Amino acid sequence: MRPFLLKGIRMQVSVNGQNEEIEAQSLDSYLNSRLLLGHRIAVELNGEIVPKSQFSSVMLVEGDVLEIVHAIGGG
Amino acid sequence: MTDAIQVGSYTLKSRLLVGTGKYRDLDETGRAIKASGADVVTMAVRRTNLGQNPNEPHLLDVISPDHYTLLPNTAGCHTADDAVRTCRLARELLDGHNLVKLEVISKSRTLYPNVVETLSAARTLVEDRFEVMVYTSDDPLIAIELEAIGCVAVMPLGAPIGSGLGLQNTYNIREILDSLKVPVIVDAGVGTASDATVAMELGCDGVLMNTAIAEASDPVKMARAMRLAIESGRLAYEAGRMPRKRYADASSPETGLIE
């Protein structure tokens, strides 16, 4: 179970290998703040894929590890 | 026009499959891929740049999933776990599209396929309902095993990735062709049009290439050359070449000569 959110609480998360301090928020709110919402991306949270349909219901918590990927050129 | 090729649940009109790496920019990528006439276009999955400008052009704007069959690869993966993880992210990225190019490469200077990890990843992916096109060595026994696991296409290398050396072991490629029912597509090693034609004349079902087009001085022109080379090689294979003879055999009648 993920704990209830207290607005304004700051926490450490890892995003694409970089540590970041962010405010407690939902995944879609975080992606929106990074201008990634609406783009073709895929998200893995602590090793599990988060389907796009669940972006708004997933709350980020202290220590979360996010991987956000997109398509680029390759052979 | 040559006949179509069936790869798993996909029917492909073109036997040329192309990559999208190493181009100068996305505009050149789009023009070269269009000129190649390819249906299947590979792409890589990488971390997003978090500081990126949201209006920057994106690969999928140029290579639209509506017009091409995208083939996400697992390039850069050295273990089965990394490759499987990458395929699952790709499937999510492309809204459930399940066709993938599995490649697990070594860290050596040859980037030679790690077939132990490749076999392991192929089993997991097939079980997870992916349609797996698999990059592998030109070992006929491994090719047979990958087909038995359920891969929809087996893709032996012609020569190391990006080397442009052309087919180095036509004996093995021929042996793989004789042993498998699923399409056999030469992936990697082609340097110029004649290399692609050699692969097709052997009876390969297709050729996948990237560097040979992208690193040509004029990639768009080379893409067209490759399109013609693939079609030409396939037609020659279908037509059936004449037998090789040791000595000359005159083309004009040897009778009715003036005296």
Side-chain angles (χ1 to χ4, degrees):
Chain A
M1 278 299 282
R2 293 186 159 252
F4 289 105
L5 279 179
L6 289 170
K7 208 171 163 58
I9 285 191
R10 299 192 70 81
M11 57 190 195
Q12 289 284 331
V13 295
S14 162
V15 185
N16 287 357
Q18 301 283 323
N19 287 322
E20 268 190 55
E21 192 184 277
I22 61 166
E23 211 168 274
Q25 59 191 299
S26 66
L27 178 56
D28 71 341
S29 143
Y30 175 77
L31 294 173
N32 195 35
S33 73
R34 286 301 192 172
L35 308 173
L36 291 169
L37 212 56
H39 289 261
R40 274 192 181 270
I41 54 166
V43 179
E44 199 189 71
L45 174 61
N46 303 325
E48 297 286 329
I49 285 176
V50 184
K52 289 178 194 74
S53 57
Q54 290 174 24
F55 282 178
S56 58
S57 57
V58 169
M59 296 297 164
L60 297 177
V61 300
E62 175 77 26
D64 272 347
V65 178
L66 279 171
E67 291 285 348
I68 308 169
V69 299
H70 67 159
I72 64 158
Chain B
M1 202 55 194
T2 58
D3 52 342
I5 160 180
Q6 189 72 28
V7 176
S9 60
Y10 296 84
T11 306
L12 313 176
K13 289 195 293 287
S14 172
R15 290 170 179 271
L16 173 56
L17 298 82
V18 294
T20 50
K22 298 180 176 172
Y23 286 98
R24 262 175 228 113
D25 51 39
L26 283 176
D27 175 62
E28 184 180 74
T29 311
R31 285 184 296 118
I33 288 353
K34 191 170 181 210
S36 78
D39 294 320
V40 172
V41 179
T42 68
M43 47 157 264
V45 175
R46 289 291 180 273
R47 283 172 164 171
T48 54
N49 175 3
L50 293 171
Q52 76 190 7
N53 169 2
N55 299 318
E56 235 169 64
H58 188 270
L59 178 69
L60 298 183
D61 299 333
V62 179
I63 307 298
S64 162
D66 300 334
H67 297 112
Y68 295 99
T69 299
L70 287 175
L71 182 61
N73 68 26
T74 62
C77 292
H78 300 293
T79 66
D81 284 349
D82 283 349
V84 169
R85 203 174 153 201
T86 301
C87 288
R88 288 179 176 151
L89 280 166
R91 182 164 63 184
E92 177 61 24
L93 187 63
L94 298 173
D95 306 319
H97 177 71
N98 70 345
L99 188 71
V100 289
K101 170 181 162 179
L102 170 63
E103 58 179 305
V104 187
I105 55 173
S106 63
K107 287 181 179 168
S108 70
R109 63 184 175 184
T110 59
L111 299 179
Y112 209 69
N114 179 333
V115 294
V116 176
E117 294 294 315
T118 300
L119 288 165
S120 163
R123 286 189 195 99
T124 307
L125 290 169
V126 168
E127 202 165 298
D128 198 7
R129 297 185 304 278
F130 281 95
E131 296 194 62
V132 181
M133 300 177 73
V134 59
Y135 172 66
T136 183
S137 67
D138 58 19
D139 182 329
L141 298 184
I142 298 295
I144 290 168
E145 185 60 28
L146 288 164
E147 179 182 59
I149 286 169
C151 294
V152 296
V154 174
M155 307 199 291
L157 80 176
I161 294 170
S163 69
L165 291 171
L167 269 65
Q168 294 295 295
N169 194 341
T170 52
Y171 176 87
N172 276 22
I173 299 291
R174 208 186 293 264
E175 183 56 28
I176 291 171
L177 286 167
D178 286 350
S179 310
L180 265 54
K181 290 191 185 71
V182 297
V184 174
I185 293 165
V186 163
D187 180 1
V190 163
T192 187
S194 55
D195 296 334
T197 307
V198 165
M200 295 310 293
E201 284 176 350
L202 280 178
C204 290
D205 297 279
V207 177
L208 197 166
M209 65 180 78
N210 185 344
T211 311
I213 297 174
E215 287 193 353
S217 300
D218 183 340
V220 178
K221 194 172 272 189
M222 185 57 91
R224 180 164 156 70
M226 290 299 187
R227 175 186 196 155
L228 295 171
I230 293 286
E231 203 168 317
S232 180
R234 179 65 192 179
L235 285 171
Y237 171 75
E238 288 174 6
R241 62 153 296 149
M242 61 162 280
R244 288 183 168 83
K245 295 168 202 162
R246 188 156 175 204
Y247 297 113
D249 180 4
S251 302
S252 306
E254 291 183 77
T255 55
L257 288 162
I258 53 169
E259 286 182 33

